[in-house]
Structures are given as C-alpha cells and as structure tokens.
Amino acid sequence: MLPPKAKADIVLIKEELDFIAEMGFEAYPELDSGDMRLDLRGDGSSSVLLEGLNLSNKLQIQAYYHNYKFIFPLSIGQNEFGQFHMELKSPEILELGSHIRHWRHKPDQPLIGRSKTENNQFSLDEMSSTGFVLNLPSASAPESLELELTLPDGEVVEITAQKVRPTTLKKTAYTMTLLDTKGENLRAFLYSQLLLQR
C-alpha cells in the first residue's frame, strides 16, 4: 500500500502498481529524491526474475497521465544486502492527440545554443527531447548545427541538429542528436518544466 502522500507524486497508474504487486514486490517511491526511484522488495523467488531483467539494456516503464505518455528508462541495482531496486530515469514525454509527438517546452525566455564551429549563438524558441525550433527564417537557418546548449541549471548539453522545415515565416524546426551522455539532463529539465505547469 502506497503512503497517501505518494499517490499524488507517482506517475504510474493503478494497474501498473498492481502488476508490480503481482510479481511479489511492494513499490515505495523515494519522495525525497530528485529522480523517480522505486525500491522493489520481494522474497527470494523474485531474485531470478530480476537478475534476468537486469541483463536487458532496454527496460522501461510506460505510464499515461491525462493527455501525456511517459516512457521511463529503468535500471535494476542490488545493494550490499542483496536487495534489488529499480531506478527510474527521467522520462521521454509524448503528447497524445490526433497524432503522437514528443512534448515541446516553450520557455518564457528562449534557450541559447552556442555554435561549436563558429562564433555564433542561436535562440531556441521550443525544445523537446528530439528537436527544437530556431528563431530564424528557413532561408537564413543553417542546414546543420553543432551546439552547446546551456540549461537553466547550468548543465551544458552538446547536440548536433539537422534542419527539417520552416514552421512560420521566421522560425525553423530542427531534429537533433545528443553528442554526449547528458540526454538524461535534458529529459530531467523538460520533465521539471512539465511538472511546473500542473
């Protein structure tokens, strides 16, 4: 049984928590942690299942909340007492509607990306975990970009981007690939911004 406070903080729906319980575990959220984390406590018969799952590198939990779909990457760890726990990373956020797309954050002030190849900086008007909108008309926007994007918390994310299409007369959409391992930082930032809108 989850504590009353946890019910408002967990994104997992009741059916998913029931499924975890059916596997012989109790799920406890780490409410004091900045990331989403579940400690799964079960009997010895569950350890074989968890050891097998830990061999996979594509474990995830999907959850639906209002018109959003969250895809949480997860890893399974084991402490010094041999107890297993699952750690949920920051999710990919998909917006549901007539078609599914990655949720886009529209900051009050544009994010600034600095070019790695030239002494230029670019103003990013919208951002998702897979792309962004540049405040430049398509005719002036470069076909490709290598940027260092500084997030409000000071984290720097390196990305490469390819021009996709104009979105308006003065804006251009790009798809992007992360150059480093900080995709988690970008997803955490986007997730925090979505939660602020609740």
Side-chain angles (χ1 to χ4, degrees):
M1 184 76 179
L2 287 172
K5 180 182 177 186
K7 292 180 180 177
D9 296 335
I10 286 294
V11 177
L12 300 179
I13 62 176
K14 180 182 182 302
E15 288 79 7
E16 291 162 330
L17 291 172
D18 288 344
F19 174 73
I20 290 173
E22 286 174 12
M23 292 195 303
F25 301 104
E26 291 183 74
Y28 300 92
E30 292 287 339
L31 298 177
D32 297 329
S33 175
D35 58 1
M36 293 291 295
R37 183 183 177 92
L38 295 178
D39 284 335
L40 301 181
R41 301 175 185 140
D43 56 27
S45 64
S46 305
S47 63
V48 175
L49 170 64
L50 287 177
E51 287 172 354
L53 289 175
N54 198 37
L55 297 176
S56 171
N57 60 359
K58 293 184 179 179
L59 289 175
Q60 58 182 223
I61 289 180
Q62 298 184 20
Y64 293 85
Y65 183 76
H66 293 294
N67 61 326
Y68 300 106
K69 177 180 179 180
F70 300 89
I71 303 175
F72 293 88
L74 61 89
S75 59
I76 298 175
Q78 192 173 14
N79 64 20
E80 63 271 20
F81 304 108
Q83 296 172 318
F84 289 91
H85 64 269
M86 269 186 197
E87 184 172 350
L88 299 180
K89 303 297 184 182
S90 298
E92 292 283 350
I93 307 168
L94 302 176
E95 195 169 7
L96 307 177
S98 56
H99 63 279
I100 299 175
R101 69 175 192 177
H102 282 83
W103 176 73
R104 300 172 186 174
H105 170 53
K106 299 178 181 178
D108 294 332
Q109 297 294 325
L111 300 172
I112 301 300
R114 299 186 185 281
S115 173
K116 294 184 64 181
T117 57
E118 301 175 13
N119 189 24
N120 290 336
Q121 63 181 32
F122 297 92
S123 174
L124 283 61
D125 189 51
E126 296 180 23
M127 170 70 68
S128 75
S129 60
T130 59
F132 56 85
V133 173
L134 201 66
N135 281 330
L136 270 180
S138 182
S140 305
E143 290 296 322
S144 62
L145 288 169
E146 292 185 19
L147 298 177
E148 290 183 344
L149 177 66
T150 302
L151 301 177
D153 64 2
E155 287 286 344
V156 177
V157 180
E158 297 183 4
I159 58 178
T160 58
Q162 297 292 325
K163 183 163 69 172
V164 178
R165 67 181 190 283
T167 59
T168 67
L169 289 176
K170 297 183 178 180
K171 296 183 180 182
T172 306
Y174 282 77
T175 184
M176 68 180 184
T177 304
L178 299 178
L179 288 181
D180 54 24
T181 58
K182 293 189 177 179
E184 166 73 10
N185 299 83
L186 179 58
R187 292 196 309 271
F189 166 70
L190 294 172
Y191 187 46
S192 70
Q193 297 306 300
L194 178 62
L195 292 178
L196 288 175
Q197 296 181 12
R198 292 176 55 188

